[in-house]
Amino acid sequence: MGPVVELKDVGHAFGERTRLFRGITLTLLPERVYALVGPSGSGKSTLLSIIAGWQTPSEGEVVRRGVRKVSWVFQNPVGVARRTALDHVTLPYLGQGYDIATAERLALEQLDRFGLSESAGKRFGELSGGEAQRLMLARGVATNADLLLVDEPTAQLDMRTADAVDRYLGALSRSGMIVVVATHDHRTRDAASDVIDLERYQ
Ligand SMILES: Nc1ncnc2c1ncn2[C@@H]1O[C@H](COP(=O)(O)OP(=O)(O)OP(=O)(O)O)[C@@H](O)[C@H]1O
């Protein structure tokens, strides 16, 4: 059986004044992409941390079954300026024990899924903002985690076109991981397989 994350009546508040959400009961499954949406300050980043296990909810409980490894794709791309896009995705495969030839082949497959074949040889510092964001997603998938949490992957304009959104969501859902994407972007919301709207849980 694949990994499963269950949220049971989860709520969170910071003290008396900042109540973010309550009553979230959901089962998160692999091969789906959950768009986590809500206005700024509604608690998207907080809920991602709770799903990851970084933070304990003030109400309810989170049960993770079969989740050995959790990865997080941060909003701002971070990389080594002089290393290539291919290097960045090869490294997590080397960490899993693959030899260099296999690691590079797997990394090239991942780059291709995110539309980065042509950019494989570019250094990180030469990538456009959108390319760097896609590279972070490809690297996130290459970590072979069971649960992938993604914070605002479409901050760069060229990630918001319909083609780019379809492509990155398709690549994430084929990863076999449980994927949760916190986003303000309506295209991601419309194209994701499931939507978690925090406005429903005020
Ligand atoms: N440790 C903390 N103590 C007190 N308040 C906090 C803490 N962390 C976050 N908050 C508050 O909780 C609210 C929700 O923050 P969070 O970052 O989860 O929202 P968000 O929906 O991700 O926002 P955005 O879309 O702007 O990134 C904010 O008002 C924030 O100031």
Side-chain angles (χ1 to χ4, degrees), residues 1-58:
M1 212 177 85
V4 179
V5 177
E6 280 181 65
L7 281 71
K8 298 182 181 173
D9 210 14
V10 167
H12 199 73
F14 292 106
E16 299 278 297
R17 293 183 165 212
T18 317
R19 162 157 292 288
L20 297 181
F21 44 77
R22 56 163 37 119
I24 303 181
T25 297
L26 291 169
T27 302
L28 306 177
L29 300 169
E31 290 172 43
R32 309 196 66 82
V33 177
Y34 298 86
L36 172 56
V37 303
S40 193
S42 58
K44 298 184 292 297
S45 304
T46 304
L47 185 57
L48 281 188
S49 300
I50 288 172
I51 292 170
W54 257 346
Q55 214 167 313
T56 307
S58 44

Side-chain angles (χ1 to χ4, degrees), residues 52-70:
W54 257 346
Q55 214 167 313
T56 307
S58 44
E59 295 160 18
E61 90 177 295
V62 179
V63 180
R64 279 173 286 272
R65 269 195 273 277
V67 177
R68 297 157 302 125
K69 186 168 175 183
V70 182

Side-chain angles (χ1 to χ4, degrees), residues 10 14 27 32 35 37 51 56 74 81 91 104 110 112-113 139 151-152 156 160 166 168 173 178-179 184 186 191:
V10 167
F14 292 106
T27 302
R32 309 196 66 82
V37 303
I51 292 170
T56 307
F74 299 103
L91 192 62
E104 286 194 347
Q110 237 22 285
D112 183 45
R113 289 190 188 139
R139 191 176 62 174
D151 202 357
E152 203 62 72
Q156 295 289 331
R160 287 189 207 159
D166 285 347
Y168 98 81
S173 66
I178 300 170
V179 182
H184 287 106
H186 70 91

Side-chain angles (χ1 to χ4, degrees), residues 1 4 11 32 39 57 70 75 89 94 97 105 113 117 119 128 137 147 166 170 176-177 184 186 191-192 199:
M1 212 177 85
V4 179
R32 309 196 66 82
V70 182
Q75 182 170 356
V89 185
L94 290 174
R105 181 175 55 76
R113 289 190 188 139
S117 296
S119 312
S128 71
L137 293 168
L147 173 60
D166 285 347
M177 304 174 180
H184 287 106
H186 70 91
E199 277 201 305

Side-chain angles (χ1 to χ4, degrees), residues 35-180:
L36 172 56
V37 303
S40 193
S42 58
K44 298 184 292 297
S45 304
T46 304
L47 185 57
L48 281 188
S49 300
I50 288 172
I51 292 170
W54 257 346
Q55 214 167 313
T56 307
S58 44
E59 295 160 18
E61 90 177 295
V62 179
V63 180
R64 279 173 286 272
R65 269 195 273 277
V67 177
R68 297 157 302 125
K69 186 168 175 183
V70 182
S71 278
W72 190 293
V73 178
F74 299 103
Q75 182 170 356
N76 299 317
V78 180
V80 182
R82 288 164 171 274
R83 306 299 310 193
T84 64
L86 177 63
D87 291 338
H88 283 76
V89 185
T90 300
L91 192 62
Y93 287 118
L94 290 174
Q96 291 158 51
Y98 292 104
D99 62 79
I100 181 82
T102 308
E104 286 194 347
R105 181 175 55 76
L106 292 169
L108 281 168
E109 281 173 22
Q110 237 22 285
L111 288 169
D112 183 45
R113 289 190 188 139
F114 286 91
L116 289 169
S117 296
E118 310 277 292
S119 312
K122 278 197 205 170
R123 292 169 196 260
F124 182 79
E126 296 165 353
L127 298 174
S128 71
E131 285 172 330
Q133 277 192 317
R134 281 182 280 146
L135 179 64
M136 295 298 102
L137 293 168
R139 191 176 62 174
V141 171
T143 60
N144 195 30
D146 304 293
L147 173 60
L148 184 68
L149 302 159
V150 182
D151 202 357
E152 203 62 72
T154 59
Q156 295 289 331
L157 285 180
D158 58 345
M159 277 293 285
R160 287 189 207 159
T161 65
D163 279 358
V165 168
D166 285 347
R167 184 160 202 162
Y168 98 81
L169 289 177
L172 288 177
S173 66
R174 281 196 299 277
S175 69
M177 304 174 180
I178 300 170
V179 182
V180 185

